[in-house]
Amino acid sequence: MQNDPSAGNGNVLIEVRNLKKYFPIRKGVFSRTVGFVKAVDDVSFYVKRGETLGLVGESGCGKTTAGRCLLRLIEPTEGEVYFEGEPIRAMGGRRLRHYRQRMQIIFQDPYSSLNPRMTVAGIVGEGLAVHGVARGAERRKMVKEILERVGLSEAHINRYPHEFSGGQRQRIGIARAIALNPDFIVCDEAVSALDVSIQAQIINLLQGLQQELDLSYLFIAHDLAVVEHISQRVAVMYLGEIVETAPSVELYKNPLHPYTKALLSAIPVPDPTLDKKRILLEGDVPTPINPPPGCRFHTRCPYAMPGCKRYPPPVTDVGNEHTVRCFLVGGKEEAEAALDQRGEAPPAWETP
């Protein structure tokens, strides 16, 4: 059980507690379950009103799965997500319908996320019709206003997705997301499929909309340079677990977890005269079907100690909303106390 992620923090819009999502592995004629892919395993975090929380990590670490569980696009296996203090897994009917109106998503691929048989008016205005916000001429008028807000014009309203560039398609996706005036948006790799110059335009658009509409973002990405620019806080995810969370300035200035340090060392520096030391991680990411015991990062960690293989490190709060899951920072006493209660000998903490 992790610590309450929102303790001492007011104005929390979204709170995630001990979220798990396991996908069953089925084999045989009768499709029997023989195992589980532990995509998200006991994750806790929160998002305040008007802030952007960056969620970073290697491909396959569970970032997108966590984001979709927040919106109930996929149902969590365990844990809870709270929206303004209300658990969303207990919602149904009209209450769930209202909740979906206030939380939206911007997908990664601007090509596959738009229906090629629908015009821009149909794509952006579909939510307005489904939720009974506007119909007919009023809906068309609202669509025009929304398109202008994201940098498109009235001339685009009757066109189809194939007539637009990738950047324009993503603007349409953003327009669809803000059409219902939501409070929270999951940006699932919203700029990773775009050219660098277009990425800057979309990031500036998202920041402008956030200030104008008082939006909160969960910004899922693997580009740490982009995350540093847009996020107020950053959570680092590895193999289904969050290993470090901190304010953006603090994380980039003082990373504590070895995995975070390795990720930050991979950020390119736009100065060929600087000799930046790169931290290279050996080995491959373990399978989420059978993650390693103890600390999940110990198989690739250059600082791994024998005790890291025996006991999973607890979440250590180092102050200023900075938490880390690593025995190098803290947690040795907690681990030894837990082992002592079980009658086991304390582990060897010295680096081999």
Side-chain angles (χ1 to χ4, degrees):
M1 180 70 69
Q2 296 185 15
N3 298 331
D4 184 352
S6 65
N9 293 282
N11 204 28
V12 172
L13 179 67
I14 300 290
E15 183 179 354
V16 179
R17 293 187 182 180
N18 308 110
L19 185 69
K20 296 182 180 181
K21 179 58 185 178
Y22 296 171
F23 293 98
I25 302 172
R26 305 185 190 278
K27 290 185 178 180
V29 178
F30 300 102
S31 297
R32 294 175 178 171
T33 300
V34 296
F36 293 92
V37 176
K38 299 178 180 180
V40 178
D41 200 5
D42 200 16
V43 164
S44 299
F45 61 87
Y46 61 91
V47 183
K48 299 178 184 177
R49 292 184 183 275
E51 84 161 349
T52 300
L53 174 67
L55 185 59
V56 302
E58 294 170 295
S59 297
C61 70
K63 305 185 300 294
T64 294
T65 301
R68 297 193 176 195
C69 284
L70 262 65
L71 306 179
R72 281 186 64 179
L73 295 180
I74 54 178
E75 291 292 336
T77 303
E78 291 183 22
E80 189 54 85
V81 179
Y82 296 88
F83 181 78
E84 294 183 330
E86 184 175 354
I88 69 165
R89 293 187 68 186
M91 293 181 184
R94 293 183 179 180
R95 185 59 184 160
L96 180 59
R97 186 185 184 92
H98 176 67
Y99 156 81
R100 292 192 182 282
Q101 185 174 344
R102 300 181 63 187
M103 300 180 71
Q104 297 291 317
I105 185 171
I106 301 170
F107 294 97
Q108 174 179 356
D109 188 354
Y111 293 87
S112 63
S113 62
L114 302 180
N115 190 333
R117 299 188 178 186
M118 295 178 67
T119 63
V120 172
I123 292 171
V124 178
E126 185 177 21
L128 300 174
V130 169
H131 289 274
V133 176
R135 298 184 183 278
E138 183 182 0
R139 182 179 69 175
R140 189 174 182 86
K141 179 183 177 181
M142 291 183 66
V143 170
K144 293 178 182 178
E145 295 174 351
I146 295 167
L147 291 178
E148 291 175 356
R149 184 170 279 173
V150 300
L152 299 175
S153 68
E154 181 181 347
H156 297 121
I157 197 168
N158 291 320
R159 297 184 184 179
Y160 290 87
H162 72 271
E163 301 178 68
F164 295 93
S165 66
Q168 289 175 319
R169 290 178 187 225
Q170 198 62 299
R171 289 178 186 270
I172 296 171
I174 294 172
R176 175 176 59 187
I178 68 170
L180 293 170
N181 194 26
D183 298 292
F184 175 73
I185 297 178
V186 174
C187 302
D188 183 13
E189 302 273 11
V191 297
S192 63
L194 307 176
D195 294 336
V196 175
S197 60
I198 305 301
Q199 284 185 6
Q201 296 177 19
I202 298 300
I203 291 296
N204 291 335
L205 173 62
L206 291 172
Q207 290 180 317
L209 291 172
Q210 184 175 41
Q211 296 178 1
E212 181 182 351
L213 303 176
D214 192 27
L215 293 169
S216 300
Y217 293 142
L218 175 65
F219 194 85
I220 300 170
H222 60 266
D223 189 334
L224 278 83
V226 172
V227 171
E228 181 182 16
H229 180 70
I230 195 175
S231 303
Q232 284 77 52
R233 289 188 304 115
V234 180
V236 181
M237 200 166 182
Y238 180 80
L239 202 62
E241 294 182 342
I242 290 181
V243 297
E244 187 167 5
T245 304
S248 180
V249 175
E250 170 73 12
L251 186 83
Y252 284 79
K253 182 180 179 180
N254 183 35
L256 297 178
H257 197 281
Y259 179 63
T260 307
K261 293 178 181 180
L263 289 180
L264 294 180
S265 73
I267 299 177
V269 177
D271 187 348
T273 63
L274 293 178
D275 185 16
K276 184 177 180 181
K277 185 178 180 181
R278 174 78 184 275
I279 301 175
L280 299 177
L281 299 177
E282 298 181 356
D284 298 324
V285 180
T287 173
I289 299 175
N290 186 26
C295 175
R296 294 192 174 184
F297 187 60
H298 82 261
T299 59
R300 304 173 70 196
C301 180
Y303 311 105
M305 301 173 287
C308 298
K309 303 175 183 180
R310 299 183 54 184
Y311 194 82
V315 177
T316 301
D317 188 347
V318 297
N320 190 31
E321 299 185 85
H322 193 165
T323 61
V324 61
R325 185 192 290 264
C326 180
F327 286 124
L328 292 173
V329 177
K332 295 181 182 179
E333 294 78 8
E334 292 90 336
E336 291 175 352
L339 290 171
D340 184 62
Q341 290 180 356
R342 298 206 305 255
E344 299 181 27
W349 294 114
E350 292 75 17
T351 303

